Amino acid sequence: MLRKIFGIAFYIMAGFFLYSVELLAFLNEPMYPIKLILLGVLGVLTVVFTVIAILIYRSGKWRKNLGILLVSASGFCVFVIFSFFCFLLTPEFRESIPDGQLTLFSNYGSGFLFVGVIILVGVMLIKIDNKKDKVI
C-alpha cells in the first residue's frame, strides 16, 4: 500500500516536471543557452522521476500509466496556455502587464507542436496497452 502511494507521488512529480518542460516550449525569449539548460535539467528530472515511479509502483500496466501521465500533463499545459491566451484578450489584463512582457509566451508554433507530439505518444501508449489486454 505504501509503495503504491509513493509511486503515485513520484508520478505526480514527474507530471509536474513534464508540464514545466512543455510550458518552457512556449517561451519566446532569446535566452537560448539558459532555455536549453532548463529544458535539459527539467527533462532529465522528468525521466528520473518517471523511471522511479514505474519501478516503485510495479504495475503491469506501466505503458498505460505512462500514457496517462503524458496526456494529463500535456492537457494541463494546454489548459494553462489557453487560459493565458484568454487573459490576453481582455484589455484590463493587457494594460496591467508591463511593455515587452506580453510576448513572453508567444512561441505557439513550437509549443503546440511539442505538446501535440507528447499527447500523440501518450495516446499511442494507452492504445497499445489496451490492445495488449484484449489479446490476452
Side-chain angles (χ1 to χ4, degrees):
M1 174 75 169
L2 194 58
R3 188 182 76 221
K4 299 272 186 191
I5 292 171
F6 279 118
I8 291 170
F10 277 101
Y11 271 122
I12 290 170
M13 288 186 278
F16 171 75
F17 288 123
L18 178 62
Y19 156 74
S20 300
V21 168
E22 291 174 343
L23 201 60
L24 278 175
F26 287 93
L27 202 62
N28 195 25
E29 287 294 311
M31 54 178 189
Y32 286 110
I34 296 170
K35 182 179 176 180
L36 290 177
I37 291 170
L38 278 173
L39 284 172
V41 168
L42 291 173
V44 167
L45 287 173
T46 301
V47 170
V48 167
F49 278 102
T50 303
V51 169
I52 291 172
I54 289 171
L55 292 176
I56 289 176
Y57 196 75
R58 288 189 186 166
S59 172
K61 299 179 183 257
W62 66 270
R63 287 179 196 90
K64 189 174 202 172
N65 293 339
L66 182 59
I68 290 170
L69 170 76
L70 296 176
V71 171
S72 61
S74 300
F76 184 69
C77 182
V78 168
F79 172 73
V80 168
I81 292 298
F82 180 73
S83 299
F84 183 73
F85 183 71
C86 288
F87 280 133
L88 286 177
L89 295 177
T90 62
E92 296 88 12
F93 183 75
R94 292 188 91 127
E95 291 172 0
S96 67
I97 300 290
D99 291 337
Q101 297 296 321
L102 284 176
T103 61
L104 185 63
F105 286 102
S106 64
N107 201 356
Y108 297 114
S110 69
F112 280 120
L113 179 68
F114 182 68
V115 171
V117 168
I118 298 293
I119 289 174
L120 184 65
V121 169
V123 168
M124 286 173 38
L125 283 170
I126 293 170
K127 294 266 186 194
I128 287 171
D129 200 54
N130 285 342
K131 284 183 181 179
K132 186 179 176 186
D133 288 343
K134 289 179 183 177
V135 172
I136 294 176

